[in-house]
């Protein structure tokens, strides 16, 4: 399991991902290669792998929500297929949903048979997208796990749904935070990590409260709004 991160990723994200993989008993290599583009880093990992190795990529702010989901990804790869979370590049010219490398698994022999597709991004494709295109052309099995919920909808998955900040995939099988460099998202990540690491049920009401500021669900958010604080300072009494 390979995960890339740069120096701008908060320690809370790194430690949270470690906690989840540790709780699930899955070996994890967090690789600090500051400044190295995602696609170039994946190319290097593949180049250093043996032909029969199963390569598993995971974004630094993503993880499986249970061990069975990870094992299914490995089983698909062992059978000669490509496994990934469904992704759509809204900022590129391509128009296909593909297996995103935020969680992707395949055997290197599949990559070789597919013509060694470049994992770097291009004007038409995002990082890792060429792998799905090459596998589709050769008729290889591609297993995509689609998003089923997200805390902050932000992007369209072509004509098949939405994804965004705090996206859950499948039947509570995988989680991807997205935009982990933003400190405002750390509390959401921490909350999901805490539930998964403890083996507790996912608390979606809590996640929504953290992001959208519902004080009835999140005691930490029980503080006056900005305008009420201004009113109190201006008039010396609580706002109506």
């Amino acid at each position: 399991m390979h995960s890339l991160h740069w120096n701008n990723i908060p320690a809370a994200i790194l430690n949270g991902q470690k906690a989840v993989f540790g709780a699930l008993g899955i070996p994890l290599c967090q690789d600090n290669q500051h400044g190295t583009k995602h696609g170039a880093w994946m190319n290097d990992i593949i180049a250093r792998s043996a032909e029969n190795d199963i390569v598993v990529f995971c974004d630094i702010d993503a993880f499986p929500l249970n061990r069975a989901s990870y094992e299914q990804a490995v089983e698909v790869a062992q059978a000669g297929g490509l496994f990934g979370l469904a992704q759509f590049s809204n900022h590129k010219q391509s128009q296909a949903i593909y297996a995103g490398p935020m969680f992707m698994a395949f055997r290197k022999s599949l990559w070789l048979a597919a013509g060694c597709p470049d994992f770097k991004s291009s004007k038409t494709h995002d990082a890792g997208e060429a792998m799905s295109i090459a596998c589709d052309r050769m008729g290889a099995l591609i297993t995509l796990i689609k998003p089923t919920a997200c805390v902050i909808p932000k992007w369209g998955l072509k004509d098949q749904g939405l994804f965004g900040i705090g996206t859950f995939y499948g039947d509570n099988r995988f989680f991807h935070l997205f935009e982990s460099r933003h400190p405002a998202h750390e509390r959401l990540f921490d909350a999901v990590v805490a539930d998964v690491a403890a083996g507790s049920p996912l608390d979606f009401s809590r996640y929504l409260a953290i992001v959208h500021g519902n004080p009835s669900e999140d005691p930490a958010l029980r503080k006056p709004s900005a305008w009420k604080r201004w009113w109190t300072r201006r008039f010396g009494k609580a706002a109506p």
Side-chain angles (χ1 to χ4, degrees):
M1 175 66 67
H2 303 278
S3 183
L4 169 70
H5 67 95
W6 289 7
N7 294 341
N8 62 342
I9 298 299
I13 300 294
L14 298 174
N15 294 334
Q17 187 187 54
K18 285 181 183 177
V20 168
F21 278 89
L24 299 180
I26 303 170
L28 171 68
C29 176
Q30 292 180 330
D31 194 2
N32 184 350
Q33 296 291 332
H34 185 71
T36 301
K37 294 294 182 65
H38 194 195
W41 171 79
M42 289 189 287
N43 282 341
D44 182 63
I45 295 294
I46 297 168
R48 291 189 281 113
S49 301
E51 181 174 349
N52 287 322
D53 283 352
I54 292 175
V55 180
V56 186
F57 291 126
C58 184
D59 276 4
I60 198 66
D61 58 348
F63 46 79
L65 294 170
N66 51 68
R67 186 176 175 88
S69 296
Y70 164 79
E71 291 175 347
Q72 188 211 1
V74 173
E75 288 170 1
V76 170
Q78 286 175 330
L82 172 65
F83 180 97
L85 304 185
Q87 177 72 322
F88 181 70
S89 181
N90 288 278
H91 62 293
K92 297 290 185 179
Q93 298 175 20
S94 56
Q95 291 296 309
I97 296 175
Y98 64 96
M102 61 273 211
F103 196 96
M104 173 190 281
F106 58 92
R107 197 183 290 277
K108 182 177 178 177
S109 57
L110 174 64
W111 176 78
L112 292 170
C116 306
D118 193 344
F119 270 65
K120 293 180 183 178
S121 61
S122 66
K123 291 183 179 180
T124 56
H125 304 124
D126 214 340
E129 186 174 356
M131 181 65 174
S132 292
I133 295 172
C135 288
D136 183 60
R137 286 174 178 168
M138 68 179 288
L141 171 67
I142 302 177
T143 298
L144 299 177
I145 307 301
K146 296 180 181 179
T148 49
C150 57
V151 181
I152 305 178
K154 192 168 182 178
W155 306 286
L157 188 72
K158 198 177 179 181
D159 58 351
Q160 298 187 26
L162 299 168
F163 63 105
I165 307 305
T167 300
F168 296 82
Y169 293 82
D171 185 14
N172 293 341
R173 296 171 63 190
F174 293 90
F175 174 79
H176 186 197
L177 178 65
F178 286 101
E179 298 185 356
S180 57
R181 63 190 178 278
H182 295 306
H185 301 155
E186 285 184 33
R187 289 187 62 224
L188 170 60
F189 189 80
D190 289 345
V192 180
V193 164
D195 287 341
V196 178
S200 303
L202 299 177
D203 190 346
F204 287 97
S205 294
R206 163 78 167 157
Y207 310 151
L208 287 168
I210 288 171
V211 170
H212 298 292
N214 183 352
S216 66
E217 295 290 344
D218 187 355
L221 296 172
R222 290 175 183 163
K223 59 183 180 181
S225 64
W227 79 267
K228 286 187 176 181
R229 293 196 300 271
W230 173 85
W231 180 284
T232 301
R233 290 194 303 268
R234 178 68 176 80
F235 298 103
K237 61 181 180 178

